[in-house]
Amino acid sequence: MTLKEQLQHKIDLKTKPVGALGTLEQLALQIGLIQDTLTPSLNNPSLLVFAADHGLSDEGVSPYPKDVTWQMVMNFVAGGAAINVFCRQNNINLKVVDAGVDYDFPAGIPVVNAKVAKGSRNMRREPAMTADECRAAIQKGRDLVTAEASKGCNVIGFGEMGIGNTSASSLLMHRFLNIPIEECIGAGTGSQGEHFTRKTSILKEVSEKYNPQTPEETLAVFGGLEIAMMAGAMLEAADRNMIVLVDGFIASAAALSAVNIQPEARQKMIFCHSSDERGHQMMLDGMQADPVLHLNLRLGEGTGAALAYPLVQAAVNFLNEMASFEDAGVSNKE
């Protein structure tokens, strides 16, 4: 029997009807395959939040000013954001990474300095990143995951903060999945009415301006520093057979970028929730992803990944600890 067949046999012989634990059974099978074992374990869970600014925000694609990015990073540092609450609740090690915030953080605060530039460029005028900047961001993401893996972490989630990053994510989704740009654009941080119409018009203009040929070029032209760094982090985690917990719309755009660069990375990814951001479910469908949660979230920060983690734990625990029919002396069906 292959490992997949052995895992499925082990799952099916637990004291329950076949398939009765639903998505948890799919997660148990996936995690066993990622770790290449019948007895998987989750060690030192970590969550990295990548923050960066976007030059396109100068065009008014978000109702919030750019300063909100660095102000929210300070909120993360102070422990006051939703992601802090959920990581504390579930004993997940949280790190905040400055991938490209247009601000000089005070020395000594617990922010990982991986700044490639003070924000991406305004892609209405030029590509968001040069090829070198995009490569540097991808590599820094890889290096950060290498550091987490060296501490015994084998399950890692990713979140983000960056005013304007739903616009970048919509453009990446449009290009990678060949979905009309209008169907990829949502409210983000609250675009409505005339503001939403303007956002749509600008993103359509940006989309028509460029014609990148490779996944890396597409990421450089339309992405952001935090999205590129997250994509690199996901690629490294996948290479190391770590469990990759993918959050919402922006994290999924990073995952989509990573999968286009390296398709086999997809098998290591658990998609944690279907966001309320318009287009996210289509993006998940494009990656054949069945999300764990449907909670109408649209916050980002990695919150969906942190909230889904107890269910990932439950999947591993039932696989390892639940009795089989034979163990329990319970009659199985004929």
Side-chain angles (χ1 to χ4, degrees):
M1 287 170 71
T2 64
L3 176 64
K4 184 174 183 179
E5 289 167 338
Q6 291 177 67
L7 278 163
Q8 193 62 60
H9 186 68
K10 183 177 180 181
I11 291 165
D12 290 346
L13 287 185
K14 298 294 184 182
T15 45
K16 60 171 183 60
V18 170
L21 283 175
T23 299
L24 294 184
E25 298 191 18
Q26 298 165 28
L27 288 173
L29 177 64
Q30 183 182 0
I31 292 166
L33 291 172
I34 291 170
Q35 296 189 358
D36 195 30
T37 180
L38 291 168
T39 54
S41 62
L42 303 175
N43 305 323
N44 297 333
S46 181
L47 195 144
L48 303 180
V49 178
F50 297 97
D53 279 305
H54 292 256
L56 190 64
S57 65
D58 294 341
E59 300 290 342
V61 291
S62 170
Y64 283 87
K66 195 162 63 171
D67 280 349
V68 169
T69 303
W70 74 259
Q71 290 165 354
M72 278 302 299
V73 169
M74 296 304 288
N75 190 27
F76 297 149
V77 168
I83 192 56
N84 300 100
V85 174
F86 302 144
C87 282
R88 282 196 296 268
Q89 173 184 315
N90 295 321
N91 296 310
I92 299 169
N93 177 40
L94 175 65
K95 282 208 171 97
V96 183
V97 180
D98 175 7
V101 181
D102 188 8
Y103 183 77
D104 294 315
F105 290 104
I109 66 167
V111 172
V112 178
N113 181 10
K115 197 191 298 278
V116 173
K118 284 192 165 184
S120 61
R121 292 167 165 79
N122 182 349
M123 61 179 107
R124 198 175 185 186
R125 295 179 169 76
E126 58 186 320
M129 292 169 277
T130 65
D132 285 347
E133 285 169 340
C134 189
R135 275 193 294 269
I138 289 170
Q139 188 56 52
K140 288 194 177 195
R142 283 183 172 276
D143 293 344
L144 287 162
V145 167
T146 298
E148 293 304 305
S150 73
K151 299 171 199 163
C153 169
N154 71 355
V155 53
I156 189 162
F158 301 104
E160 43 57 46
M161 178 63 219
I163 295 300
N165 64 11
T166 56
S167 292
S169 300
S170 295
L171 286 161
L172 290 169
M173 172 187 173
H174 160 62
R175 277 306 170 112
F176 284 131
L177 295 177
N178 199 27
I179 294 171
I181 185 66
E182 294 85 353
E183 295 178 36
C184 303
I185 302 169
T189 49
S191 296
Q192 295 176 5
E194 280 184 29
H195 196 283
F196 181 78
T197 303
R198 174 175 167 76
K199 177 180 177 180
T200 302
S201 172
I202 289 169
L203 295 195
K204 193 167 183 183
E205 179 189 326
V206 170
S207 163
E208 291 168 356
K209 184 178 175 71
Y210 306 100
N211 189 28
Q213 298 301 304
T214 68
E216 291 89 345
E217 286 174 7
T218 302
L219 180 56
V221 168
F222 296 117
L225 292 161
E226 83 280 37
I227 296 172
M229 208 169 285
M230 200 173 353
M234 291 175 177
L235 288 169
E236 185 65 30
D239 286 349
R240 292 176 175 274
N241 295 322
M242 297 166 78
I243 297 158
V244 178
L245 304 178
V246 181
D247 188 43
F249 186 63
I250 292 99
S252 295
L256 183 61
S257 303
V259 167
N260 272 272
I261 291 168
Q262 186 178 305
E264 56 271 26
R266 169 66 186 85
Q267 306 310 316
K268 315 296 170 63
M269 296 174 176
I270 291 173
F271 290 82
C272 292
H273 75 112
S274 179
S275 161
D276 233 18
E277 181 67 15
R278 182 185 178 201
H280 189 218
Q281 187 58 53
M282 277 190 290
M283 200 193 297
L284 294 171
D285 292 343
M287 290 185 279
Q288 289 82 53
D290 185 14
V292 177
L293 299 171
H294 296 264
L295 295 177
N296 306 113
L297 306 173
R298 55 179 185 87
L299 178 57
E301 303 178 7
T303 46
L307 288 167
Y309 181 65
L311 294 174
V312 176
Q313 287 180 302
V316 169
N317 289 345
F318 100 74
L319 184 64
N320 289 333
E321 299 174 22
M322 189 175 170
S324 68
F325 283 102
E326 186 179 8
D327 294 336
V330 174
S331 298
N332 199 351
K333 66 178 183 179
E334 295 299 321

